[in-house]
Amino acid sequence: MKTQDRGDEAVEFSLAVLCYRAEGDIVPFVTRLHRIMSMFAEPWELVLVANYWPGTEDRTPAIVKELAERLDRVHCVAEPKQGDMGWDMKMGLDACRGRYIGIIDGDGQYPMESIAACFAKIKADDIDLVKTYRVYRSDGLYRNLISKAYNVAFALLFPAYRGLRDVNSKPKMLKRDAYQRMELHSKDWFLDAELILEALRLHLRIYELPIRFSGLRGRKSFVQFQTISEFVRNLIAYRWSGRGR
């Protein structure tokens, strides 16, 4: 893992940002996020995750490294990829040092104010995991259908947990000690759901906040239709692994 010397300062809240192939678009996002985080009274840090596939012309690692050098309390992780989104997400969360740790995509679709809302809720009410659910989406029919398929599959295979909505939504925020108790194995898009399933297995307290979800600008979604079958296969494997009983 490539990170700067981060010293021994105690950190209350760490937020990992998934920056995969964002390139220059990540600069205004992180700059604005940094301004918002600077309003926090508690010690905080940002962990920018810019892992990359070797041999690709991805400028994101260099751009993220420059941001980390220029902005205080910002660190970066930029390694050759050994998996998909789940691998990046786990590396980001593993790098977080805070008492509370969170994860968000760096594409700007999730409202930044939801970060402060999740942090305030998890700290004030002593909840183990706080996440969002999307009450409104403006990212088109394609992404809506995939998301609905994810959540229907989740509800069918885990009917006892039908009260949960939108398992893949972010930001997700949890106590670091709760995260360290989880058995997370996925390296793909399933990690979002695996994290929730592990929280349920451990009987953690979960709370959900509603948000409005913006459309994606500047590039196509990395989520492909075949990820539905991948997601269902992973759900079935978890259901009968012994952890999902």
Side-chain angles (χ1 to χ4, degrees):
M1 183 184 302
K2 299 177 182 177
T3 58
Q4 303 91 335
D5 180 9
R6 299 161 68 178
D8 297 322
E9 179 192 22
V11 177
E12 183 74 357
F13 174 50
S14 302
L15 181 67
V17 182
L18 300 177
C19 307
Y20 175 63
R21 284 177 55 185
E23 298 201 332
D25 291 340
I26 200 63
V27 176
F29 179 87
V30 171
T31 302
R32 183 179 172 219
L33 179 58
H34 188 268
R35 286 198 302 268
I36 292 172
M37 297 286 288
S38 296
M39 299 177 188
F40 281 35
E42 299 86 352
W44 56 271
E45 68 177 355
L46 292 177
V47 177
L48 309 182
V49 184
N51 296 328
Y52 60 94
W53 291 111
T56 59
E57 296 181 0
D58 184 2
R59 298 183 299 119
T60 309
I63 292 170
V64 162
K65 183 178 179 181
E66 190 276 330
L67 283 169
E69 291 172 348
R70 177 164 57 87
L71 300 172
D72 65 305
R73 300 181 180 273
V74 177
H75 316 287
C76 69
V77 175
E79 295 286 348
K81 282 173 71 66
Q82 299 178 34
D84 292 315
M85 187 280 289
W87 190 75
D88 291 346
M89 182 171 161
K90 192 169 187 306
M91 283 196 71
L93 290 170
D94 287 348
C96 289
R97 301 176 299 152
R99 179 184 174 195
Y100 302 98
I101 63 177
I103 189 80
I104 193 170
D105 296 333
D107 54 19
Q109 291 187 271
Y110 293 101
M112 287 192 183
E113 57 268 24
S114 64
I115 297 167
C118 287
F119 180 58
K121 185 66 180 179
I122 196 171
K123 188 168 183 180
D125 293 346
D126 194 32
I127 295 169
D128 298 300
L129 188 153
V130 175
K131 61 178 287 294
T132 65
Y133 65 95
R134 291 164 283 195
V135 294
Y136 174 81
R137 302 182 59 141
S138 59
D139 56 342
L141 179 63
Y142 171 76
R143 286 289 301 274
N144 270 272
L145 286 174
I146 289 179
S147 183
K148 286 184 184 299
Y150 281 171
N151 288 289
V152 167
F154 186 92
L156 288 174
L157 284 165
F158 297 92
Y161 307 139
R162 282 182 181 168
L164 284 173
R165 295 161 285 198
D166 204 0
V167 294
N168 290 333
S169 187
K170 296 184 184 73
K172 287 182 172 73
M173 200 167 297
L174 62 163
K175 294 178 179 177
R176 188 163 175 263
D177 59 357
Y179 172 72
Q180 291 174 333
R181 293 166 57 196
M182 295 180 176
E183 299 176 21
L184 300 173
H185 305 292
S186 177
K187 294 184 178 182
D188 55 32
W189 297 94
F190 179 65
L191 190 67
D192 263 319
E194 187 179 29
L195 190 148
I196 298 300
L197 288 166
E198 281 294 288
L200 293 166
R201 181 181 68 83
L202 294 168
H203 305 289
L204 302 182
R205 294 182 62 201
I206 302 174
Y207 189 87
E208 297 181 294
L209 292 169
I211 60 166
R212 295 173 67 89
F213 190 64
S214 301
L216 188 62
R217 298 178 181 178
R219 66 165 175 82
K220 294 182 179 180
S221 171
F222 295 133
V223 181
Q224 302 299 317
F225 206 78
Q226 59 264 30
T227 59
I228 296 175
S229 60
E230 178 185 273
F231 183 81
V232 172
R233 287 197 306 271
N234 282 320
L235 278 177
I236 293 171
Y238 186 96
R239 178 68 178 81
W240 278 278
S241 69
R243 291 187 292 160
R245 294 170 187 253

